[in-house]
Amino acid sequence: MNTTPRAADTDAAAPFADAFEPTAAQARSAVLEELIRKDPGRFRMLTGDRPTGRLHLGHYFGTLHNRVRLQDLGVETYVIIADYQVLTDRDVADNLTGHVEDLVLDYLAAGVDPARSTIFTHSAVPALNQLMLPFLSLVSVAELSRNPTVKDEIAHARRSAVSGLMFTYPVHQAADILFCKGNLVPVGQDQLPHLEVTRTIARRFNDRYGNGATVFPEPDALLSRAPSLLGTDGTKMSKSRRNAITLAAGADETARLLKGARTDSERHITYDPRTRPEVSSLLLLAALCQNRTPEEVADEIGSAGAAALKKTVTEAVNEYLAPIRARRIEYAEDRAFLRRTLREGNERARAVADTTLAEVRAAMNSHY
Ligand code: TRP
């Protein structure tokens, strides 16, 4: 399998920087949280993942948990499995069916409810791709070329040729979001440039073809409040680095992975992300699982050292994940349910995309 890291996986620098300086996007996210609490019905959320492997704790606390929380608050939810996007940096999508099923299982286990939320794949919704052509006409090559996430992915792809899809997938992603008129997109920092492309396309489409009406909303990014977790080797948790604890991993495997986790030589355990990133990430992980602060966990361990810290984290993770893992196993055995979830999600997404495409064609005067 090609394990080329993606931008989201390679951003090892200053993983905790977000925690200190709130950016404009974070400030906006705080405002959005307030609006969602007051009136969840005005939001339609769309977000998703590339099917490249099982989701891990970094995904869970970074986005998955947040999606389920928003769904449960009453926000209409779409989750896209971006199977075409896998082809940006590899020629063939190995074991795609297995990866897609793994994602569905991770979603279901984490609490995405297919009765309320639509889980679907890119490739099953042709009208979504048809939106991409008019959208491509609304952005310049220069704009596509300076997208920092795409640049980063190209730099890390270690490939001699860069495909056209690599430059255009952010426009494809705009279609992912706009086909259902999504206005809320929970994502990580690395996706903000893509959100900007989506907003630009929505605005330009409305200006050019809307005739005074708003055909597409300008969606907002919603950043998760949880800072990113480090993997067991002290770099960003990522499936391609083999330093991740997946949702599907068993309790024993989790214990083994955490036992080998990197710490530092200072015995007294303190929470200081700047000077002690590895120890602090472990504290944060325990804290997220136990719904308390990392400082509290640190105080409790005190001078008992790294072994005690690892024991605490292992227990916290295994206890927290136990019901999620049990559900995952149950769903994995029910193949019919798994297939029905995707089939029905795809049908719902297709119906919505067809309606939007008809509207777009009418706006563009291409109704023949
Ligand atoms: N680019 C996202 C990732 O790599 C996946 C994705 C595809 C996505 N389409 C999306 C995320 C639409 C949010 C909205 O993780």
Coordinates of all heavy atoms in Angstrom, one line a residue, residues 303-333:
S303 N 4.7 12.5 41.2 CA 6.1 12.0 41.0 C 6.1 10.4 40.8 O 7.1 9.8 41.0 CB 7.0 12.3 42.2 OG 6.3 12.0 43.4
A304 N 4.9 9.9 40.5 CA 4.9 8.4 40.3 C 5.5 8.0 39.0 O 5.7 6.9 38.7 CB 3.4 7.9 40.4
G305 N 5.7 9.0 38.1 CA 6.5 8.8 36.9 C 5.8 8.3 35.7 O 4.5 8.1 35.7
A306 N 6.5 8.1 34.6 CA 5.9 7.8 33.3 C 5.2 6.5 33.3 O 4.1 6.3 32.6 CB 7.1 7.8 32.2
A307 N 5.7 5.5 34.0 CA 5.0 4.2 34.0 C 3.5 4.3 34.6 O 2.6 3.8 34.0 CB 5.7 3.1 34.8
A308 N 3.4 5.1 35.6 CA 2.1 5.4 36.2 C 1.2 6.1 35.3 O 0.0 5.9 35.1 CB 2.2 6.1 37.5
L309 N 1.9 7.1 34.6 CA 1.1 7.9 33.6 C 0.5 7.0 32.5 O -0.6 7.0 32.2 CB 2.0 8.9 33.0 CG 1.5 9.7 31.7 CD1 0.2 10.5 32.1 CD2 2.6 10.6 31.1
K310 N 1.4 6.1 32.0 CA 0.9 5.2 30.9 C -0.2 4.3 31.4 O -1.1 4.0 30.6 CB 2.1 4.4 30.4 CG 3.1 5.2 29.6 CD 4.3 4.4 29.2 CE 5.3 5.3 28.5 NZ 6.5 4.5 28.0
K311 N -0.1 3.8 32.6 CA -1.1 3.0 33.2 C -2.4 3.7 33.3 O -3.5 3.2 32.8 CB -0.7 2.5 34.6 CG -1.6 1.5 35.2 CD -0.8 0.7 36.3 CE -1.8 -0.2 37.1 NZ -2.6 0.6 38.1
T312 N -2.4 4.9 33.7 CA -3.6 5.8 33.8 C -4.2 6.0 32.4 O -5.4 5.8 32.2 CB -3.2 7.2 34.4 OG1 -2.7 6.9 35.7 CG2 -4.4 8.1 34.5
V313 N -3.3 6.3 31.5 CA -3.8 6.6 30.1 C -4.5 5.3 29.5 O -5.5 5.4 28.9 CB -2.7 7.1 29.2 CG1 -3.2 7.4 27.8 CG2 -2.1 8.3 29.7
T314 N -3.8 4.2 29.7 CA -4.3 2.9 29.1 C -5.7 2.6 29.7 O -6.6 2.3 29.0 CB -3.3 1.8 29.5 OG1 -2.0 2.1 28.9 CG2 -3.8 0.5 28.9
E315 N -5.8 2.8 31.0 CA -7.1 2.5 31.6 C -8.2 3.4 31.1 O -9.3 3.1 30.8 CB -7.0 2.6 33.2 CG -6.4 1.3 33.7 CD -6.0 1.5 35.2 OE1 -6.3 2.5 35.8 OE2 -5.2 0.6 35.7
A316 N -7.8 4.7 31.0 CA -8.8 5.7 30.6 C -9.2 5.4 29.2 O -10.4 5.5 28.9 CB -8.1 7.1 30.7
V317 N -8.3 5.2 28.3 CA -8.6 4.9 26.9 C -9.5 3.7 26.8 O -10.5 3.7 26.1 CB -7.3 4.8 26.0 CG1 -7.7 4.3 24.6 CG2 -6.6 6.1 25.9
N318 N -9.0 2.6 27.4 CA -9.8 1.3 27.3 C -11.2 1.4 27.8 O -12.1 0.8 27.3 CB -9.0 0.2 27.9 CG -7.9 -0.3 26.9 OD1 -7.9 0.0 25.7 ND2 -6.9 -1.0 27.5
E319 N -11.3 2.1 28.9 CA -12.6 2.3 29.5 C -13.5 3.1 28.6 O -14.7 2.8 28.3 CB -12.5 2.9 30.9 CG -13.8 2.8 31.7 CD -13.7 3.4 33.0 OE1 -12.7 3.2 33.7 OE2 -14.7 4.1 33.4
Y320 N -12.9 4.2 28.1 CA -13.7 5.1 27.3 C -14.1 4.4 26.0 O -15.3 4.5 25.5 CB -12.9 6.4 26.9 CG -13.7 7.4 26.1 CD1 -14.5 8.3 26.8 CD2 -13.7 7.3 24.7 CE1 -15.2 9.3 26.1 CE2 -14.5 8.3 24.0 CZ -15.2 9.2 24.7 OH -15.9 10.1 24.0
L321 N -13.2 3.6 25.4 CA -13.5 3.0 24.1 C -14.3 1.7 24.2 O -14.8 1.3 23.1 CB -12.2 2.8 23.3 CG -11.4 4.0 22.8 CD1 -10.2 3.5 21.9 CD2 -12.3 4.9 21.9
A322 N -14.4 1.2 25.4 CA -15.1 -0.2 25.5 C -16.4 -0.2 24.8 O -16.6 -1.1 23.9 CB -15.1 -0.6 26.9
P323 N -17.3 0.7 25.1 CA -18.6 0.6 24.4 C -18.6 0.9 22.9 O -19.3 0.2 22.1 CB -19.5 1.7 25.1 CG -18.6 2.6 25.8 CD -17.3 1.8 26.1
I324 N -17.6 1.7 22.5 CA -17.5 2.0 21.1 C -16.9 0.8 20.3 O -17.4 0.4 19.3 CB -16.5 3.2 20.9 CG1 -17.1 4.5 21.5 CG2 -16.1 3.4 19.4 CD1 -16.3 5.7 21.4
R325 N -16.0 0.2 21.0 CA -15.4 -1.1 20.4 C -16.4 -2.2 20.3 O -16.5 -2.9 19.3 CB -14.2 -1.5 21.2 CG -13.0 -0.6 20.9 CD -11.9 -0.8 21.9 NE -10.7 -0.1 21.4 CZ -9.6 0.1 22.2 NH1 -9.6 -0.3 23.5 NH2 -8.6 0.7 21.7
A326 N -17.2 -2.3 21.4 CA -18.2 -3.4 21.4 C -19.2 -3.1 20.3 O -19.6 -4.1 19.5 CB -18.9 -3.4 22.7
R327 N -19.6 -1.9 20.1 CA -20.6 -1.6 19.0 C -19.9 -1.9 17.6 O -20.6 -2.4 16.7 CB -21.0 -0.1 19.0 CG -22.2 0.2 19.9 CD -22.8 1.5 19.6 NE -21.9 2.6 19.7 CZ -21.7 3.3 20.8 NH1 -22.4 3.0 21.9 NH2 -20.9 4.4 20.8
R328 N -18.7 -1.5 17.5 CA -18.0 -1.7 16.2 C -18.0 -3.2 15.8 O -18.2 -3.6 14.7 CB -16.6 -1.2 16.3 CG -16.0 -0.9 14.9 CD -14.6 -0.5 15.0 NE -14.1 0.0 13.7 CZ -13.7 -0.8 12.7 NH1 -13.8 -2.1 12.8 NH2 -13.3 -0.3 11.5
I329 N -17.7 -4.1 16.8 CA -17.7 -5.5 16.6 C -19.1 -6.0 16.1 O -19.3 -6.7 15.2 CB -17.2 -6.3 17.8 CG1 -15.7 -6.0 18.0 CG2 -17.5 -7.8 17.7 CD1 -15.1 -6.4 19.3
E330 N -20.1 -5.5 16.9 CA -21.5 -5.9 16.5 C -21.8 -5.5 15.1 O -22.4 -6.3 14.3 CB -22.4 -5.1 17.4 CG -23.3 -5.9 18.3 CD -24.0 -5.0 19.3 OE1 -25.0 -4.4 18.8 OE2 -23.6 -4.9 20.5
Y331 N -21.5 -4.2 14.7 CA -21.8 -3.8 13.4 C -21.0 -4.5 12.3 O -21.5 -4.8 11.2 CB -21.6 -2.3 13.2 CG -22.6 -1.4 13.9 CD1 -22.3 -0.5 14.9 CD2 -24.0 -1.5 13.6 CE1 -23.2 0.3 15.5 CE2 -24.9 -0.7 14.2 CZ -24.5 0.2 15.1 OH -25.5 1.0 15.7
A332 N -19.8 -4.9 12.7 CA -18.9 -5.6 11.7 C -19.5 -6.9 11.3 O -19.3 -7.5 10.2 CB -17.5 -5.7 12.2
E333 N -20.3 -7.5 12.3 CA -20.9 -8.8 12.0 C -22.2 -8.7 11.2 O -22.6 -9.7 10.7 CB -21.1 -9.6 13.3 CG -19.8 -10.1 13.9 CD -19.8 -10.5 15.3 OE1 -20.9 -10.4 15.9 OE2 -18.8 -10.9 15.8

